[in-house]
Amino acid sequence: MASSEEYKRQIMKDLAEGDVKSLDATKAESTAEYQNFDDFAQRTTPDQRRQLFGRSLHPDRIPTSQIKPELQQAIAQIKPNERDDVARDFFKHLKERKLDEKHLEQQLGLSTHNPNRMSADDVSKLASFSYHNHPDIFHQVLAEQPGIIKFLSNPVVAGIIGVAAAKWLGSRK
């Protein structure tokens, strides 16, 4: 695997050249063009989004140290009721892996294990934990709650998603 800096350079080069061949050749089920991220989130299924995010957001591609501040910033920008839903989804999927909310509260230093009372920082810790330790759960929650993605600002993160989305959505030239 190339170093993180080499990978970043390659992604930026691919973006500049409009090259989307660097990702696997998954064909889109539709060649529809999306007006913006909200349109994409509304017109795609959670399974389609999970496949896209699974390929582009993974600790092997973007280290936890790089995604953690992005998640903190993105989660701080979503509405409180959406943040509650994100926390609830993380807990639901982690519980299926026999990870108890109270133990996660202690292990991660959360202020509470009640999703309705969690701060943005608490939800960020939960998201970072999932990203690093259970990437499949992280992808599942993002697929179910895609609003977080539109607030990620890191050019590498955005680039990876952009390249993957262009390929996956079968964008027209």
Side-chain angles (χ1 to χ4, degrees):
M1 174 106 226
S3 77
S4 181
E5 285 303 314
E6 290 170 345
Y7 185 74
K8 289 178 200 176
R9 279 193 290 277
Q10 184 61 45
I11 290 295
M12 292 308 192
K13 180 178 180 240
D14 289 350
L15 282 173
E17 295 172 358
D19 181 11
V20 294
K21 290 183 251 177
S22 62
L23 298 173
D24 67 30
T26 302
K27 298 291 181 203
E29 293 176 14
S30 166
T31 58
E33 291 183 11
Y34 297 92
Q35 300 300 313
N36 54 41
F37 185 83
D38 290 333
D39 184 35
F40 163 76
Q42 290 174 358
R43 291 175 46 200
T44 56
T45 67
D47 190 51
Q48 291 169 323
R49 291 189 300 266
R50 184 178 40 258
Q51 289 175 15
L52 169 64
F53 301 150
R55 288 193 306 270
S56 56
L57 289 172
H58 197 277
D60 292 343
R61 292 185 175 211
I62 305 171
T64 305
S65 61
Q66 192 173 3
I67 197 81
K68 186 175 180 177
E70 292 299 322
L71 288 171
Q72 288 172 327
Q73 179 182 4
I75 290 170
Q77 293 182 57
I78 61 175
K79 297 174 188 170
N81 62 323
E82 292 174 348
R83 188 172 56 231
D84 298 350
D85 292 341
V86 169
R88 197 172 288 101
D89 281 354
F90 275 121
F91 278 134
K92 178 184 87 172
H93 291 291
L94 290 166
K95 191 172 189 170
E96 291 170 359
R97 299 273 172 91
K98 309 289 188 233
L99 296 169
D100 178 72
E101 294 101 336
K102 290 182 182 180
H103 287 99
L104 286 168
E105 177 184 355
Q106 292 174 342
Q107 179 183 352
L108 302 176
L110 306 176
S111 63
T112 181
H113 63 272
N114 181 337
N116 296 329
R117 295 186 179 155
M118 292 180 81
S119 68
D121 186 54
D122 289 334
V123 179
S124 297
K125 289 176 183 178
L126 198 54
S128 294
F129 170 79
S130 296
Y131 179 78
H132 181 72
N133 296 293
H134 302 280
D136 58 322
I137 290 174
F138 181 80
H139 302 142
Q140 179 68 33
V141 172
L142 286 186
E144 293 169 1
Q145 305 290 335
I148 297 171
I149 295 294
K150 70 180 177 181
F151 293 113
L152 293 176
S153 64
N154 184 306
V156 174
V157 174
I160 289 170
I161 292 171
V163 170
K167 182 65 177 175
W168 181 75
L169 297 173
S171 61
R172 299 177 220 170
K173 292 190 177 196

